[in-house]
Amino acid sequence: MNGIASAKPTVADEAAPGFSAVLAIELDRAYRVAGHLLGSASDAEDAVQEALERAWLHWGQLREPAAAQGWFWRILVNVCRTKLRKRRSQPVREIDESVELETPDPFRTSLARDAVGRAMTVLTEDQRLVVVLRYWGDLTVPEIAHRTGLREGTVKSRLHAAHAALRRRLVAAGEAEG
Amino acid sequence: MNEMEIELRLERLASADDAIRAPARLRDRMRDLEAGAAEPAVGAWERPRLLGRRAGRVRIGALVGLAAAIVVAAGLLFAVAPRHDGRRDPVAAPSGPSFSPSSFTKDHTFPGSATSAPFVASVRSDEAGIYGLFSMTVDHPALRWGPWSGLQSVVISSPDGRAWSMSSPLPDLVTALEVPPMDASDAITAVARHAGRFVVVGGLAAAPASVARSDGQEPVESIGVIWTSDDGRAWHEVEAARQPGYVFQDVVWTQGGFVAVAVRAEGGMRILTSADGERWSAASAQGFTDVTDVLPVKSDPVGGFLVVGATRGEHGLVSSLTPVHSADGRSWSSAGRLPLPGPALSVVYAYRNGRWTVDAVIGDHIPAASVSVSANADHRIRAHLETAVLDGGSWRWLEPTREFDWLASPYSAGLDDGGATLAAGAWVDEAEGSAGPSPSQLQSAPVRFAWTADAVSWTPAGSGPTGTPLAELKFRGELLLFVSTTGPGVPSVEVWSAPWPN
């Protein structure tokens, strides 16, 4: 499989790597990562859908099928970061989430049940990114570096700073001993 | 507690989330794309978005973001009878404008990149034309800390709203200030122009001071920064105007000069003024420690300003306002906090009929713990409009609350000295089903306009281009400008225009 196909691949195009087959295994993790980066299930759905659509549009240009997953994660991370930036740029913040009353948002519920989760509000956007990719994306430091374009040293330093920030917050909140 | 314990707790927390699975709709969408069943990539608004399949709940979030308004000439005003009973407004005195999709032509496209959607902000007009900020996330070259994904912004401008040009990119703050990008994020927030000089504001939003800097140095502090350019090519930072601890949120030019407002994340607002964009001085009124955000600065036709600081509560909803008024740009006064009757989705304010008014759009069904909005018992969506007026130096709320139910989304509005407003939002006339307007009905609803002369009575004013989500709406000369952001694919910003009907 040479992986080089037309810009608009079809199922009949045998040269194109299997889009669903390659990305389906990433979907749950991608959803969880997007959910914890953006803070809501509905935003996570939007972000993953947008990333899938962008990935599909350029799937035919993908020359290295083995790199597809990392490439998809890069798109997803950029989609999430753009959404976060848009939120900041709007003087009246977009109400960007819809929580069905009888179904609490799973991502908020998840973080709220543990002091460490509650303390994550102290993290910067960039720190939160590496923390979410490390623990919710279950990625190693080299994998995070590969999928974000950061150097491994940068990933490590961000993780270290995030851990320190969480620890300080927990101590300040009386949730941990100094 | 050491770092390893923190890691273990994070691992446990994340492991517990393994039960959270991507909705089946995402897998369906993926298969649809591959099977060629997906719709062509014509724009995010036309995407069969997943949330559109949720039944029984109405998502207004994306719609709020679409809402926008323009100011129009006082000569176009008309009067209609107010109605407060919450039912479909039967007033039909359509002396306002009316548009249709065919009224609009697409004049310009600013392309983004395959992996980053662009957006526009701070669209303004003056005697020389219209201008705004165009931004997108880009990968910056490697710094000594490694490559990073930052914001690249340019000023876009047009003399007529149809032919557009772009400035040179604004300086990259992280590189310029030699701050590790992991410890701060850049923000370029607003642009103003006078006599050919652009003034752009923003800053570096740093991590909380309690977080150690990743390279072991002293923690990075947020800093507000002002740049100027006389030609749109060379940018110059006004170093004397730096505001440590703050980030600039807005800048405007009015008859009295430039006014820039900076906000401190922990609470606090500073107002700076300048006659030329180069020499800045702090206004007399400072502090406002409750303020965590600032809404767009506005001016009145006689040289005054209104700066409205906002305090945000849960989910970003506005819980109180702090209007700060100046009649001349030199002396400022504030009557203090103006608590809202409820958490507000949207706040708009303007100089109407000789006095400042502040409107807060407060959804009818906004639970305190959530920002979702459900259909009412009669399956209509409502938003209450609460209005405060500056009356003898103090603010008071007008009674009674006005209620309207014919716009499917809360609106945002601005207005001029005459008080007329054109608002836009997704619009649903009648619900398709018994459970109110379905999300898919809302998602496919056209962007429609509503017109008011007095912010009390509204009448329909036609619709906008289809299949492209509205980002900004602006009136320029005889043109109505409709700025949209498209996607997926290579997303772009499109500028549409329609002649203002005579």
Side-chain angles (χ1 to χ4, degrees):
Chain A
M1 184 157 56
N2 59 28
I4 303 173
S6 65
K8 290 185 177 180
T10 67
V11 283
D13 189 345
E14 295 181 357
F19 179 72
S20 296
V22 171
L23 296 186
I25 54 175
E26 297 291 327
L27 212 55
D28 289 335
R29 274 198 301 169
Y31 177 66
R32 289 193 287 267
V33 165
H36 281 297
L37 287 177
L38 297 172
S40 83
S42 62
D43 276 353
E45 284 188 36
D46 282 354
V48 174
Q49 175 177 262
E50 189 171 336
L52 284 171
E53 288 170 346
R54 288 191 196 175
W56 172 247
L57 195 79
H58 299 278
W59 193 255
Q61 299 156 11
L62 189 63
R63 293 173 185 274
E64 294 290 340
Q69 290 172 353
W71 173 69
F72 172 72
W73 277 84
R74 185 66 184 263
I75 293 174
L76 178 68
V77 167
N78 273 340
V79 167
C80 291
R81 299 190 76 172
T82 299
K83 285 179 178 292
L84 291 168
R85 286 183 186 280
K86 277 185 180 177
R87 282 184 196 171
R88 288 201 304 265
S89 73
Q90 289 170 345
V92 175
R93 185 175 296 178
E94 182 176 331
I95 304 304
D96 48 14
E97 48 218 280
S98 174
V99 181
E100 298 181 9
L101 295 179
E102 63 273 28
T103 310
D105 188 285
F107 298 108
R108 290 188 188 140
T109 305
S110 162
L111 296 186
R113 70 175 173 245
D114 187 278
V116 172
R118 294 192 295 274
M120 283 179 62
T121 54
V122 76
L123 301 181
T124 65
E125 203 174 290
D126 287 333
Q127 289 169 346
R128 191 180 183 95
L129 174 66
V130 294
V131 165
V132 170
L133 289 175
R134 171 69 187 88
Y135 297 101
W136 279 267
D138 200 22
L139 302 179
T140 63
V141 167
E143 285 171 331
I144 295 171
H146 177 65
R147 295 179 187 193
T148 59
L150 297 169
R151 288 179 182 168
E152 289 185 24
T154 304
V155 174
K156 286 178 184 173
S157 65
R158 287 189 188 182
L159 277 172
H160 176 73
H163 293 150
L166 290 171
R167 180 179 169 278
R168 286 194 192 94
R169 171 55 65 94
L170 291 171
V171 169
E175 301 279 359
E177 294 178 2
Chain B
M1 176 177 283
N2 58 32
E3 183 165 8
M4 185 174 293
E5 288 175 279
I6 293 284
E7 288 183 87
L8 286 172
R9 288 184 67 170
L10 282 166
E11 283 174 5
R12 280 201 300 268
L13 190 60
S15 295
D17 278 358
D18 286 349
I20 299 176
R21 308 293 299 274
R25 294 183 291 267
L26 276 173
R27 297 179 198 284
D28 293 344
R29 180 63 174 157
M30 191 162 55
R31 281 192 288 269
D32 286 350
L33 285 168
E34 193 166 43
E39 295 177 2
V42 292
W45 193 243
E46 288 191 351
R47 282 187 297 170
R49 295 172 74 84
L50 301 170
L51 52 91
R53 302 182 190 178
R54 291 175 183 160
R57 288 287 183 272
V58 178
R59 175 184 159 119
I60 64 163
L63 305 175
V64 174
L66 298 180
I70 63 167
V71 296
V72 294
L76 295 172
L77 302 186
F78 70 101
V80 289
R83 184 177 178 115
H84 305 305
D85 59 5
R87 301 180 61 182
R88 178 177 296 277
D89 193 337
V91 177
S95 56
S98 184
F99 300 92
S100 69
S102 62
S103 305
F104 291 85
T105 56
K106 184 162 65 177
D107 299 318
H108 198 86
T109 300
F110 295 100
S113 70
T115 57
S116 176
F119 57 96
V120 290
S122 189
V123 177
R124 296 209 161 96
S125 64
D126 59 15
E127 68 282 354
I130 186 165
Y131 56 94
L133 281 173
F134 170 87
S135 303
M136 64 180 176
T137 305
V138 296
D139 290 336
H140 283 252
L143 305 172
R144 65 187 173 91
W145 303 280
W148 68 290
S149 180
L151 195 66
Q152 184 174 78
S153 297
V154 298
V155 173
I156 57 174
S157 60
S158 168
D160 56 7
R162 289 194 153 129
W164 290 81
S165 59
M166 300 170 79
S167 74
S168 299
L170 268 294
D172 160 20
L173 262 183
V174 167
T175 303
L177 298 179
E178 295 218 333
V179 172
M182 59 288 272
D183 294 336
S185 60
D186 48 348
I188 298 175
T189 50
V191 58
R193 178 171 67 181
H194 176 62
R197 172 170 291 171
F198 286 112
V199 174
V200 174
V201 300
L204 205 60
S210 60
V211 178
R213 184 162 156 169
S214 51
D215 60 0
Q217 304 296 313
E218 287 296 307
V220 176
E221 189 176 32
S222 293
I223 184 167
V225 176
I226 295 175
W227 300 270
T228 65
S229 175
D230 289 328
D231 57 10
R233 290 190 291 274
W235 291 97
H236 149 71
E237 191 209 330
V238 186
E239 292 194 16
R242 285 186 179 182
Q243 296 296 309
Y246 290 73
V247 174
F248 282 104
Q249 298 293 327
D250 201 11
V251 62
V252 295
W253 165 265
T254 76
Q255 296 175 38
F258 290 100
V259 175
V261 185
V263 171
R264 188 180 181 87
E266 298 83 3
M269 178 171 71
R270 283 182 178 171
I271 301 170
L272 281 80
T273 60
S274 171
D276 58 5
E278 292 291 340
R279 291 177 293 277
W280 293 82
S281 57
S284 55
Q286 305 290 353
F288 311 110
T289 54
D290 292 328
V291 170
T292 56
D293 197 0
V294 64
L295 305 181
V297 180
K298 301 229 174 153
S299 62
D300 63 35
V302 291
F305 305 87
L306 186 67
V307 173
V308 177
T311 304
R312 295 190 182 276
E314 279 198 36
H315 310 303
L317 296 177
V318 178
S319 59
S320 69
L321 303 171
T322 305
V324 187
H325 179 249
S326 172
D328 56 10
R330 291 186 293 275
S331 175
W332 297 76
S333 63
S334 172
R337 288 180 68 186
L338 184 67
L340 298 179
L345 290 164
S346 177
V347 176
V348 295
Y349 48 99
Y351 193 73
R352 275 191 191 114
N353 303 322
R355 66 183 180 182
W356 283 100
T357 64
V358 175
D359 299 337
V361 179
I362 297 169
D364 193 20
H365 285 252
I366 306 171
S370 159
V371 292
S372 65
V373 173
S374 61
N376 295 318
D378 61 357
H379 311 313
R380 287 193 175 281
I381 306 163
R382 294 197 178 93
H384 293 299
L385 177 68
E386 304 277 358
T387 298
V389 296
L390 182 57
D391 187 3
S394 61
W395 292 85
R396 64 182 175 84
W397 290 107
L398 289 181
E399 295 292 342
T401 295
R402 292 186 290 275
E403 188 179 80
F404 51 96
D405 66 349
W406 44 264
L407 260 185
S409 64
Y411 70 98
S412 176
L415 45 128
D416 70 351
D417 50 336
T421 302
L422 185 73
W427 185 306
V428 174
D429 285 324
E430 295 291 344
E432 286 175 349
S434 59
S438 68
S440 59
Q441 186 184 5
L442 281 177
Q443 291 296 333
S444 59
V447 172
R448 285 188 145 177
F449 303 114
W451 166 263
T452 184
D454 59 3
V456 174
S457 303
W458 296 75
T459 191
S463 57
T466 57
T468 186
L470 173 62
E472 291 272 357
L473 198 62
K474 201 76 182 172
F475 182 64
R476 167 67 191 166
E478 297 300 313
L479 282 182
L480 174 64
L481 297 180
F482 184 107
V483 183
S484 61
T485 306
T486 66
V490 177
S492 58
V493 169
E494 294 177 346
V495 182
W496 301 69
S497 67
W500 190 266
N502 292 315

